[in-house]
Amino acid sequence: MNTKKLSVIILCFLLTVFAVSGCGAKQPETTTAAPTQEQTSASETTAETTAAEETTAVPETVLEDGIYTAEFNTDSSMFKVNDANEGIGILTVENGQMTIHISLMSKKILNLFPGTAEDAQKSGAVLLEPSIDTVTYPDGLSEEVHGFDVPVPYLDEEFDCALIGEKGKWYDHKVSVTNPVPYEEEAAAIEDGEYTIQVTLEGGSGKASVTSPCNITVKDGQITAAIEWSSSKYDFMVVDGETYYPVNTEGNSLFEIPVKSIDGPYEVQADTIAMSQPHLIDYVLNFDAQTLTAK
C-alpha cells in the first residue's frame, strides 16, 4: 500500500472517531415540566382556605371594667334565667374578670359548677353556692328563687356549666353569655314615674344604714333616689364629684341624689358630724332592680 493511500485511511478513521465522541458528549437539554391543572388548583385552594381562616377568625371581645346587662343562654328549658328577667343577668367585669349574676326559675337547683359534671364530683371541686333572690313578675307578684354568680371565661361562645338539683344528680349543660350592654343604658329605659326599690348600704363602720325600700323618681330618663340615713348627723353627700345637701331640716338626714344604675354597687360619699371631727366616708349603695315597683 502506498503512503498516500494509507494517510487517507487514517484521516477517515480519525474523523469517524471524533464524530462519534462529539455525539456522545452532547448533554440532553434540561426542561421543567409545567404544573398540571390539578396541581395549580390544589395550590390555589390551599391559599384561599388559609386566607379564609384568617379572615373568619373571631377576635376576643374585651370589656372595660364595669357593670353590664347580658343575655344568659342555656341548652335547657329547665335551666334558665327566671322569666321575670327575660333571660337577662347582671355581668360584672373587674380587673378583666367577668362574672354574671343570674336568678333562676326556682330553688330546685342547689349548686352550679363552672365545668363538667365529672369534674364537679372530684375531690376539691369548688361549687357555686346559691343566693336567695326575689323576682317580681309583671302582675306584681314576687317570689324567692336561687341566684348564682357564674364565672364567664369568654363571651359569645359556649362553655360548660354543670348543675345538681334536689335529686342529688349532676347534669352537664352548655351555656353562653352574649350582648353585653352598659347598665347606664338599661337604666335610661325605665319609664318616667315614681317607684320604690330595695337598697342596702356597705362601708364605714357598719353601724350606719339607709331606709329600704327607698323612693325612686324617673323624669326624662334621669333617675333620682331619696336616700334617708339612720342618723341626722350627715350634712352632705358627694356623688360623681357633685355635692348634695339634705332636703329636710328635721329627723334623719334625707338626700335626693342622681343615680346612673339601679342595680349592683353604686359608690357615694357622705360626711358625718357625729364624731369630734367631720369625716367624709366612702359608702356603696346596692340597689336591687328586681324589686323596682311602681307607686
Side-chain angles (χ1 to χ4, degrees), residues 150-193:
V150 181
V152 181
Y154 37 72
L155 298 173
D156 302 324
E157 294 185 28
E158 289 186 336
F159 55 92
D160 293 312
C161 186
L163 67 82
I164 186 171
E166 295 175 332
K167 295 182 179 180
K169 182 179 179 180
W170 282 97
Y171 295 90
D172 281 312
H173 288 285
K174 295 287 187 181
V175 302
S176 64
V177 176
T178 58
N179 299 325
V181 177
Y183 208 86
E184 288 78 4
E185 295 183 18
E186 189 71 13
I190 302 173
E191 294 183 0
D192 286 5

Side-chain angles (χ1 to χ4, degrees), residues 73-109:
N73 315 290
T74 76
D75 57 5
S76 171
S77 60
M78 303 300 292
F79 171 38
K80 65 176 185 177
V81 172
N82 192 284
D83 292 338
N85 295 342
E86 300 180 340
I88 300 297
I90 302 300
L91 180 68
T92 301
V93 185
E94 185 174 355
N95 297 325
Q97 301 298 311
M98 298 183 292
T99 304
I100 188 167
H101 183 83
I102 54 172
S103 300
L104 300 183
M105 298 293 292
S106 67
K107 294 181 179 179
K108 293 183 178 181
I109 293 176

Side-chain angles (χ1 to χ4, degrees), residues 135 204 223:
V135 296
I223 304 173

